[in-house]
Amino acid sequence: MSLHNKKIEEIVSIFDTDLNKGLSNEEAKKRLEKNGKNELKEANKKTIFQIFFEQINDVMIYVLIVAAVITTIVNKEFTDAIIILLVVIVNAVVGVTQELKAGKALEALKKMTNPKAVVIRSGKTFEINSSDLVVGDIVLLDAGRVVPADLRLVETSSLQIEESSFTGESVPVNKDASVILEEDTLMSDRINLAFMSTLVSYGRAKGVVIATSNDTQIGKIADMLDTEDEKTPLQVKMNKLGKQLGYIAIVICVLIFVIGIMQKRGAVEMLITSISLAVAAIPEGLVAIIAIVLSLGVTRMSKKNAIIKKLPAVETLGSVNYICSDKTGTLTQNKMTVVKTFTKDIDENLLTKAFILSSDAKIEGDIQIGDPTELALIAKGINEGILRDSLDELHPRVDEYSFDSDRKLMSTLVKNKDSFRVYTKGALDNLLKISTHIVVDGNVVEFTDSLKEEVLEKAHDMAKEALRVLAVAYKDTDTKISSDEFENNLVFIGISGMIDPPRMQAFDSIKKAHKAGIAVVMITGDHKDTAFAIAKNLNIASSEDQTISGPELEEMSDEMLEKVVTNYRVFSRVSPVHKVRIVKALRKNNNIVSMTGDGVNDAPSLKSADIGVAMGITGTDVAKGASSMILTDDDFSTIVVAIEEGRNIYDNIKKAIIFLLSCNLGEVISIFIATILAWPIPLIATQILWINLVTDSLPALALGVDPISTDQMSKKPRDKDENFFSQGAWFRALVGGTLIGTLTLSAFVIGLIEKGYSLNTLSMADEPSLAYARTMAFIVLTVSQLFYAYTTRSSEESLIKIGIFKNKFLNYSLIIGLVLQFSLLYIPVLSDAFKVTKLSIFDLDIVILFALIPVIVNELIKKFIKFK
């Protein structure tokens, strides 16, 4: 029900209350019992068990669990299965911990919306907990008090309310109870209403409670936050990959089992063989490796002032192609600053002193009290060495005429030695009407039309730059005069233009984002001209055609908005609902959207975006709770740094996946071909598991922390639907895996031939001969994979160009892998467990040569074949 368009008498009637006496205590108690506490209702919380189940409810996890069962069947013992299950459990515990730390948005909302409230009940005024407020209560407001519920104002006296965390406006809003508004008036323009959780910065008021709890505007925001989290692009791709690997494993099992039966092999033998192939097809360490790579990325990013709340968000950042940024406090400093002044006087100090003496604001160290525009004037004085305390001592205030929205002026009367002086500041138009003289070069002269025109022209220039213009004047008097005599026959001093200025770091960051193919969009509650001026200054928008306002959005359907949303770079005068619509429209156009913000009003859109980014210093707890990432320095440039890190992490994950799948393909090919040809299996299940969990994992982890390439931010964002096998990755994986597999099988065959068997008699090989041949195959497979990791560091640049030994962790993995691998040959206990034996020098040379071939071939592919 709209209440901003109704008269006060109607409001009183609708809520059956009394403006002077308020509700009776008995009636308030009844309404509280009927409607409940004035607190935001929390959504049903998930239990730890539910969160844990969500972490393991993933196709890749199921594949790992199946692998654990298969391993137990093959090996007839539980050690390997326990290792796999530990990987699953550790991964799930990490996820549960992350989620318990996150999801605090509703709790933060509840905490910030339960201040004290001054009410009138049964004709008496007293203070109660705001949670006990009911609709129809009469609430009193004064400066510094948090609005405890949604109110229809019925009396206002110079009331200003700070709504930047709610509407996005950077200056307090003047409120007026007497105004009757149109029904379709925007929420941010409803000046006869006060909204729950906003702050009274000036004046006094009386209001009727018209909504409590989740019926308030902030309650509606809380309801918007209570939505299911969507899966990130990485989670979607990993689920798809997991399904594909699962299907492949099943097909391999069935196919090999059928082939074996057709070859008249034993059913038990073929079951073990097919299960071995399935184990070879599944990279057991993949889930753990990705979790570790993401965790390491989170740690690195925390050192760069970006706190990641959910691991997959690291990768999501790397695919972002739209940054939707709040203006106030994100692109700007959330601090009004005087940037231009104009006076005809030779002494500009007079202008500064006049503004300070006609203000109420104070700055004491880090403590700032007062209206942001007045604080800007006080800060200007401090920068010029003009301190408020010193001025107040020399010119103590005697009287004042408070600001009100009709006059748009504020006046003070101060003692000036043996006389008095009036200082008046406020709207230029109003001040021009009551000024008869002006200070020019230290002299007071008549304020002629031509001089007024000059002042108006300067003010117009400031307005074109979206500066908020304030004017100031004075009047000397020998005696103390009453306030109704303050504002006439004034001497005009000058004007100041102020704005919430852009963050200096934002300029370079936006330039980098554009170079990386990322569009930057400003979404703000400020007026169109102010928003566009900032956006143009920051090179976000180049023409006013790229701006659109909230009222214009209201006239668009969701379908229409989806069609035109990419045409705009500035969205002004928007509500929280508009922000969510904008983010969703961009995502409908297959964009990966990041939304930055710091206010309560940003929370729903932060949660709706692919990745929400909250400010850590100025951000509200609500915004932090709804976000995926928090910037500890509130620096927009940190977002660009995080995107660069995210891009690199995705590339590294892709390298690790392609590497692991190439290696596993090699295992599958060697076993598959041997089975088809009715040869002995070249690798046993224990050897395969060793490779998958140990030898493969170390290089894969090292690839996961590969250094950032220098051209990372000169590339366009990758397509949302791009899979891990794009840009020729499938071809390189196929070639690499085929080579590794055939060379492994070749080493196996060479080993058996050296023992006196021919191709026709390989199936009759005895156990010692098989152990020797399998050792050759085992070494070729493991060492070739250790070498192959180096060539997968880049899909385009040669090993020499990227630097063979630049990734120190890959060097460590090579050394450790070789040491571990050859330990299996020369430590009897291990060689017995893995059924391997020592090799001759000649055969060692053969396996090393074979291990180098896949690297050489992949380097030739880079040189002669280019993929798009």
Side-chain angles (χ1 to χ4, degrees):
M1 177 172 56
S2 299
L3 298 172
H4 57 280
N5 60 339
K6 300 189 183 302
K7 296 179 180 179
I8 293 173
E9 297 78 25
E10 294 179 85
I11 299 294
V12 172
S13 174
I14 290 169
F15 292 100
D16 191 18
T17 189
D18 187 300
L19 294 182
N20 297 316
K21 294 183 179 180
L23 298 174
S24 67
N25 291 323
E26 294 75 17
E27 178 62 21
K29 186 176 180 181
K30 286 180 186 177
R31 295 187 184 188
L32 187 64
E33 290 174 353
K34 180 181 178 181
N35 300 317
K37 291 274 190 181
N38 178 33
E39 297 174 338
L40 296 180
K41 297 175 177 62
E42 298 181 49
N44 293 328
K45 288 186 177 180
K46 298 175 187 174
T47 64
I48 292 181
F49 176 78
Q50 288 173 318
I51 298 173
F52 184 84
F53 178 75
E54 286 178 0
Q55 299 299 319
I56 63 172
N57 186 24
D58 181 274
V59 175
M60 279 300 296
I61 298 296
Y62 293 147
V63 170
L64 283 181
I65 292 173
V66 170
V69 174
I70 290 172
T71 304
T72 303
I73 295 171
V74 172
N75 294 343
K76 298 181 181 178
E77 54 96 13
F78 296 94
T79 305
D80 297 326
I82 290 171
I83 293 172
I84 295 174
L85 292 176
L86 278 174
V87 169
V88 173
I89 291 170
V90 168
N91 188 59
V93 168
V94 170
V96 169
T97 304
Q98 290 286 338
E99 187 154 338
L100 289 176
K101 288 180 180 178
K104 300 292 184 182
L106 290 181
E107 289 86 341
L109 276 167
K110 185 177 178 181
K111 188 187 298 181
M112 73 177 290
T113 53
N114 193 23
K116 297 286 186 179
V118 177
V119 298
I120 300 174
R121 284 184 182 171
S122 298
K124 295 181 180 179
T125 302
F126 50 95
E127 192 173 57
I128 63 172
N129 287 326
S130 65
S131 58
D132 294 329
L133 284 176
V134 296
V135 290
D137 260 327
I138 305 301
V139 173
L140 302 180
L141 300 175
D142 54 20
R145 193 172 289 276
V146 174
V147 178
D150 281 4
L151 309 177
R152 170 58 164 94
L153 300 170
V154 295
E155 292 179 17
T156 52
S157 175
S158 303
L159 183 65
Q160 294 182 352
I161 297 183
E162 169 63 61
E163 295 182 342
S164 64
S165 68
F166 184 70
T167 65
E169 291 213 43
S170 54
V171 295
V173 179
N174 295 316
K175 297 290 184 176
D176 190 343
S178 64
V179 174
I180 307 298
L181 301 168
E182 296 293 328
E183 186 171 356
D184 60 355
T185 302
L186 282 176
M187 192 66 62
S188 54
D189 292 330
R190 295 179 185 178
I191 60 173
N192 57 10
L193 301 183
F195 303 109
M196 187 180 195
S197 85
T198 57
L199 179 69
V200 178
S201 61
Y202 194 84
R204 299 180 301 280
K206 179 191 286 188
V208 178
V209 175
I210 57 174
T212 60
S213 185
N214 285 56
D215 292 328
T216 61
Q217 291 302 313
I218 199 171
K220 291 173 183 176
I221 291 176
D223 291 339
M224 291 166 69
L225 289 175
D226 186 23
T227 57
E228 290 294 322
D229 292 329
E230 295 187 32
K231 290 188 179 297
T232 69
L234 179 64
Q235 290 171 318
V236 171
K237 289 170 187 172
M238 289 306 301
N239 275 346
K240 187 176 181 180
L241 179 62
K243 289 177 182 178
Q244 291 170 342
L245 291 176
Y247 294 147
I248 289 170
I250 293 170
V251 169
I252 288 172
C253 277
V254 173
L255 182 62
I256 294 301
F257 186 79
V258 170
I259 290 172
I261 296 300
M262 290 173 63
Q263 292 175 340
K264 300 190 179 342
R265 297 195 188 194
V268 174
E269 177 193 352
M270 287 318 303
L271 178 62
I272 293 174
T273 300
S274 60
I275 288 174
S276 297
L277 262 176
V279 172
I282 301 168
E284 287 86 352
L286 182 58
V287 171
I289 287 167
I290 291 174
I292 292 168
V293 169
L294 290 174
S295 297
L296 291 173
V298 166
T299 303
R300 282 198 307 275
M301 291 175 74
S302 67
K303 295 176 182 177
K304 297 177 181 179
N305 301 313
I307 304 297
I308 298 293
K309 292 169 56 185
K310 298 181 180 180
L311 291 181
V314 181
E315 178 274 336
T316 308
L317 264 171
S319 55
V320 163
N321 65 336
Y322 258 88
I323 299 176
C324 295
S325 177
D326 179 45
K327 179 183 76 69
T328 305
T330 307
L331 290 169
T332 65
Q333 299 173 20
N334 197 19
K335 182 177 69 175
M336 294 298 287
T337 304
V338 176
V339 292
K340 285 192 176 180
T341 59
F342 173 72
T343 179
K344 297 290 288 183
D345 191 18
I346 54 175
D347 180 13
E348 192 170 312
N349 281 353
L350 175 61
L351 179 74
T352 303
K353 291 176 180 177
F355 273 126
I356 293 173
L357 289 169
S358 58
S359 301
D360 288 329
K362 288 186 178 181
I363 297 178
E364 297 174 358
D366 294 331
I367 300 173
Q368 300 187 353
I369 304 169
D371 179 271
T373 56
E374 292 192 347
L375 287 169
L377 298 168
I378 303 298
K380 182 176 184 296
I382 292 173
N383 291 335
E384 295 174 4
I386 303 172
L387 304 180
R388 161 142 225 156
D389 289 344
S390 301
L391 281 180
D392 286 341
E393 278 186 37
L394 289 172
H395 310 286
R397 185 179 298 188
V398 177
D399 197 2
E400 69 176 71
Y401 189 4
S402 298
F403 175 90
D404 69 51
S405 55
D406 291 329
R407 292 168 32 250
K408 295 183 180 178
L409 299 171
M410 176 186 178
S411 296
T412 59
L413 180 67
V414 302
K415 194 81 170 62
N416 192 14
K417 293 185 179 179
D418 297 329
S419 60
F420 298 86
R421 175 172 282 188
V422 173
Y423 286 107
T424 301
K425 78 170 190 314
L428 175 61
D429 291 345
N430 292 21
L431 205 57
L432 287 178
K433 294 174 185 176
I434 56 176
S435 297
T436 58
H437 291 77
I438 183 173
V439 181
V440 178
D441 297 334
N443 300 310
V444 176
V445 301
E446 183 183 354
F447 203 1
T448 62
D449 289 342
S450 62
L451 285 171
K452 287 184 180 181
E453 190 62 36
E454 184 180 356
V455 172
L456 285 170
E457 187 177 331
K458 294 294 183 183
H460 181 66
D461 290 341
M462 290 182 185
K464 283 196 295 186
E465 297 179 40
L467 302 183
R468 188 179 189 199
V469 178
L470 276 184
V472 68
Y474 76 94
K475 178 171 70 173
D476 288 324
T477 174
D478 293 332
T479 59
K480 181 181 177 183
I481 57 176
S482 61
S483 59
D484 57 1
E485 299 178 83
F486 286 177
E487 295 172 357
N488 56 54
N489 301 320
L490 300 179
V491 179
F492 192 85
I493 301 172
I495 58 175
S496 71
M498 60 188 72
I499 197 169
D500 181 10
R503 291 177 175 272
M504 293 307 297
Q505 305 93 325
F507 291 94
D508 289 337
S509 302
I510 291 168
K511 184 178 180 180
K512 287 180 183 177
H514 288 162
K515 184 181 178 183
I518 301 167
V520 179
V521 172
M522 179 191 290
I523 304 179
T524 177
D526 269 342
H527 288 277
K528 196 171 185 177
D529 55 354
T530 303
F532 175 67
I534 293 288
K536 186 177 181 182
N537 193 7
L538 289 168
N539 293 321
I540 291 174
S542 57
S543 73
E544 292 191 26
D545 293 338
Q546 294 176 297
T547 68
I548 188 171
S549 65
E552 292 171 296
L553 287 175
E554 284 290 332
E555 297 175 4
M556 288 186 185
S557 64
D558 288 342
E559 292 74 20
M560 177 59 71
L561 181 58
E562 287 170 21
K563 291 179 181 177
V564 301
V565 68
T566 54
N567 296 336
Y568 299 104
R569 290 294 178 266
V570 180
F571 296 84
S572 63
R573 303 300 286 161
V574 294
S575 68
V577 174
H578 293 150
K579 292 185 179 186
V580 174
R581 286 185 65 202
I582 293 163
V583 169
K584 288 185 175 179
L586 286 169
R587 294 186 68 195
K588 284 280 188 178
N589 281 274
N590 290 320
N591 295 300
I592 303 294
V593 182
S594 166
M595 173 69 192
T596 70
D598 58 359
V600 175
N601 64 316
D602 296 319
S605 52
L606 288 174
K607 189 155 187 175
S608 297
D610 291 285
I611 178 162
V613 183
M615 302 298 111
I617 300 173
T618 60
T620 60
D621 286 344
V622 183
K624 294 173 188 175
S627 65
S628 306
M629 183 174 87
I630 300 171
L631 307 182
T632 59
D633 58 358
D634 283 17
D635 190 342
F636 185 84
S637 62
T638 303
I639 301 169
V640 179
V641 172
I643 287 174
E644 183 176 25
E645 187 70 52
R647 286 186 174 191
N648 191 62
I649 287 170
Y650 177 84
D651 284 351
N652 288 348
I653 288 174
K654 182 176 177 178
K655 292 175 195 174
I657 289 173
I658 297 302
F659 167 74
L660 288 173
L661 293 181
S662 298
C663 297
N664 283 42
L665 179 60
E667 298 166 22
V668 170
I669 285 174
S670 62
I671 296 174
F672 183 79
I673 293 175
T675 305
I676 294 294
L677 297 176
W679 292 348
I681 303 300
L683 298 162
I684 62 175
T686 307
Q687 292 169 346
I688 293 171
L689 197 64
W690 167 267
I691 294 167
N692 286 3
L693 286 179
V694 181
T695 312
D696 284 357
S697 298
L698 292 175
L701 277 173
L703 289 171
V705 293
D706 213 26
I708 295 175
S709 63
T710 53
D711 64 342
Q712 194 65 261
M713 292 304 283
S714 62
K715 302 174 184 175
K716 297 295 182 185
R718 66 180 176 276
D719 188 86
K720 180 179 180 180
D721 299 322
E722 178 184 306
N723 60 44
F724 293 122
F725 304 102
S726 63
Q727 298 176 334
W730 65 271
F731 180 76
R732 287 186 290 272
L734 182 63
V735 172
T738 301
L739 279 172
I740 290 171
T742 52
L743 289 166
T744 297
L745 188 60
S746 298
F748 176 71
V749 172
I750 288 171
L752 286 179
I753 289 175
E754 285 185 5
K755 294 297 181 182
Y757 299 93
S758 67
L759 292 177
N760 295 326
T761 60
L762 290 183
S763 60
M764 300 170 8
D766 57 19
E767 283 302 318
S769 300
L770 280 176
Y772 191 89
R774 281 172 175 162
T775 301
M776 288 188 68
F778 189 30
I779 298 299
V780 168
L781 187 59
T782 53
V783 177
S784 65
Q785 291 174 2
L786 290 172
F787 290 164
Y788 193 70
Y790 281 84
T791 190
T792 57
R793 283 186 59 207
S794 173
S795 60
E796 298 173 356
E797 296 179 336
S798 69
L799 259 175
I800 295 173
K801 188 174 182 180
I802 60 175
I804 296 177
F805 300 112
K806 276 193 176 179
N807 185 335
K808 64 179 181 180
F809 297 104
L810 195 56
N811 299 334
Y812 296 154
S813 74
L814 175 64
I815 295 168
I816 293 170
L818 290 174
V819 169
L820 288 173
Q821 197 59 36
F822 286 98
S823 295
L824 298 183
L825 302 186
Y826 298 105
I827 298 176
V829 175
L830 296 176
S831 59
D832 290 343
F834 286 89
K835 295 183 173 53
V836 292
T837 186
K838 297 176 184 178
L839 299 179
S840 68
I841 297 296
F842 176 77
D843 288 336
L844 278 175
D845 291 339
I846 290 176
V847 298
I848 296 299
L849 177 63
F850 279 14
L852 286 169
I853 291 175
V855 176
I856 296 169
V857 172
N858 195 56
E859 288 298 301
L860 291 173
I861 290 174
K862 290 182 192 178
K863 185 173 180 63
F864 294 107
I865 303 178
K866 301 299 179 185
F867 295 92
K868 292 184 178 180

